[in-house]
Amino acid sequence: MATHADISLYAKSSICIASDEDEMTLKELHHINKANAYPSQLITAQQCKEKYPMLKDDYVKGALFFPDEINADSRKTIPAITQYLVQGLGMHIINGKRIVDIYETENEAIVFDTAGDKWVGGQVIICNGSEYQSLFPEEFPKADIQLVKLQMMETIPQHTSIPGSVLTGWTIRRYESFSECPSYSRIKADEDKTSFQNQLGVHILFKQTANGSIILGDSHEYATIDEEHHLQLQDNNQSINDFMVAEAKKIMDIDYTMARTWAGCYSQSKKEPIFHKKIDHRIHVVTAIGGKGMTVSLGWAAQHINNIFS
Ligand SMILES: Cc1cc2nc3c(=O)[nH]c(=O)nc-3n(C[C@H](O)[C@H](O)[C@H](O)COP(=O)(O)OP(=O)(O)OC[C@H]3O[C@@H](n4cnc5c(N)ncnc54)[C@H](O)[C@@H]3O)c2cc1C
């Protein structure tokens, strides 16, 4: 898409920084990447400091640098993709309708919104995100889906430049991509599961936006669909933000004056990379892609739609 329209993608790279010997397991990921022909460079603490002078000396033990990774700013990229779909590909998009009923006949699928308007199509794909009450609510509680609440922050614009996304030691301990490493299960087994960081699923990442501000995140709190109220989605828990800032200060010297903070939620299938189910012949539910939806959903959607129509 980026070759056809400006969808605000930046070829910027990313880096994962290890703070101790366990986290240097990123050497193992480097070998796996080599075998898969996925570019990554193992760099020393000194090289890392040269690339990111604002890093604290005593934090960095080494790092894995991904030169080919691409960054997107969701606040720009999502509207830009929508515009491209409408103006470039002639897609018809209607916003602001709440769908309350869907059924199918032999020849068509029929959808009703809250105003009573009726929409008719050959196939219907329901991508309800983390809203499980309106449509086919009986399908979800048994599906092993969990809700995940995240907290993030954004600083005021900085005077320094931080290229790409900077991910740190707790990221190495959390991210699925490291689970392929032979040492990963030992490192996980040794962790203190009762620590504040583990209980709140905190890892520290920094990402600079086009205006120079830095997005700092993030925490992860979990609940089942039935226990959504435990997450208090409307609240931004200050003690979690304070903890993340205190930890970030141990890693990077930047101005931590915050311009805004927010909480968000996504749903995640515990068993599968995504929940998808065909209901009868013309109705498909696709949801719970987890924390990777912005990254992989377009690719997955293309394949799924091809499968539906093949
Ligand atoms: C703070 C935060 C940071 C994230 N960072 C990243 C990241 O860096 N990289 C990444 O890949 N992913 C990231 N994610 C995850 C990503 O946002 C999700 O995976 C993705 O949004 C899931 O897309 P979705 O379309 O399935 O659901 P959603 O984005 O939740 O969209 C579902 C939509 O359906 C609507 N809807 C539901 N029911 C109805 C109904 N009955 N009628 C009409 N509309 C309805 C909802 O209102 C909603 O707009 C992040 C998520 C959060 C919260």
Side-chain angles (χ1 to χ4, degrees):
M1 269 191 235
T3 59
H4 297 293
D6 177 8
I7 53 169
S8 292
L9 293 187
Y10 310 96
K12 273 198 166 167
S13 77
S14 72
I15 192 163
C16 261
I17 299 172
S19 68
D20 62 25
E21 269 316 305
D22 277 349
E23 291 160 8
M24 284 303 291
T25 183
L26 40 75
K27 285 182 193 163
E28 295 171 6
L29 188 63
H30 178 56
H31 290 303
I32 295 169
N33 289 342
K34 259 189 178 166
N36 294 330
Y38 187 74
S40 66
Q41 298 159 6
L42 205 53
I43 64 173
T44 63
Q46 182 55 36
Q47 289 167 317
C48 198
K49 280 283 299 174
E50 282 160 17
K51 267 186 198 296
Y52 302 90
M54 63 297 284
L55 279 171
K56 299 266 194 183
D57 286 336
D58 54 355
Y59 185 81
V60 190
K61 295 289 172 287
L64 197 57
F65 181 68
F66 298 90
D68 289 357
E69 296 212 344
I70 291 171
N71 285 203
D73 180 342
S74 53
R75 285 169 296 186
K76 291 187 177 159
T77 301
I78 292 171
I81 288 178
T82 309
Q83 191 179 7
Y84 170 67
L85 293 175
V86 173
Q87 289 172 6
L89 300 182
M91 190 169 168
H92 192 45
I93 295 182
I94 303 162
N95 288 313
K97 303 281 179 189
R98 177 145 292 271
I99 304 306
V100 284
D101 195 16
I102 301 180
Y103 66 93
E104 67 174 66
T105 64
E106 197 179 328
N107 302 316
E108 56 196 11
I110 299 164
V111 171
F112 284 97
D113 65 30
T114 40
D117 289 332
K118 176 179 169 185
W119 311 86
V120 178
Q123 303 282 332
V124 175
I125 304 174
I126 303 169
C127 306
N128 48 307
S130 43
E131 211 289 72
Y132 291 104
Q133 309 305 327
S134 311
L135 299 166
F136 305 102
E138 69 285 358
E139 291 296 332
F140 301 111
K142 60 188 182 216
D144 225 2
I145 289 173
Q146 61 188 352
L147 297 174
V148 187
K149 177 186 176 187
L150 289 84
Q151 287 187 201
M152 301 190 91
M153 291 165 269
E154 182 173 351
T155 69
I156 57 170
Q158 307 280 322
H159 298 297
T160 45
S161 142
I162 303 181
S165 299
V166 178
L167 306 161
T168 61
W170 286 340
T171 312
I172 297 166
R173 293 167 180 275
R174 261 195 74 81
Y175 267 26
E176 281 165 49
S177 35
F178 287 93
S179 61
E180 295 173 69
C181 298
S183 312
Y184 187 76
S185 41
R186 178 192 57 77
I187 293 164
K188 292 304 283 180
D190 288 349
E191 276 177 11
D192 176 5
K193 305 282 182 298
T194 62
S195 70
F196 190 78
Q197 177 258 327
N198 250 324
Q199 294 281 313
L200 276 303
V202 172
H203 74 129
I204 305 296
L205 65 86
F206 305 83
K207 197 186 115 175
Q208 195 159 35
T209 67
N211 78 354
S213 68
I214 290 177
I215 294 180
L216 177 68
D218 49 6
S219 61
H220 300 78
E221 293 172 89
Y222 299 88
T224 61
I225 293 173
D226 297 338
E227 292 178 339
E228 180 187 320
H229 55 284
H230 288 179
L231 292 177
Q232 304 195 322
L233 294 173
Q234 70 289 352
D235 281 357
N236 208 334
N237 182 333
Q238 190 57 37
S239 64
I240 298 178
N241 287 348
D242 290 346
F243 177 74
M244 291 196 284
V245 169
E247 291 301 321
K249 283 181 176 170
K250 295 177 192 167
I251 302 173
M252 192 129 33
D253 257 330
I254 54 168
D255 183 345
Y256 284 96
T257 312
M258 290 301 158
R260 61 188 194 112
T261 67
W262 65 96
C265 177
Y266 59 72
S267 62
Q268 172 166 288
S269 166
K270 285 203 269 179
K271 283 192 201 137
E272 308 284 342
I274 189 168
F275 175 84
H276 63 115
K277 180 160 185 183
K278 192 169 178 184
I279 295 173
D280 295 332
H281 299 289
R282 298 178 178 278
I283 302 171
H284 312 259
V285 179
V286 176
T287 186
I289 195 169
K292 58 191 178 302
M294 289 188 216
T295 313
V296 303
S297 57
L298 289 175
W300 195 88
Q303 190 182 331
H304 185 228
I305 287 171
N306 284 339
N307 288 345
I308 290 176
F309 289 102
S310 63

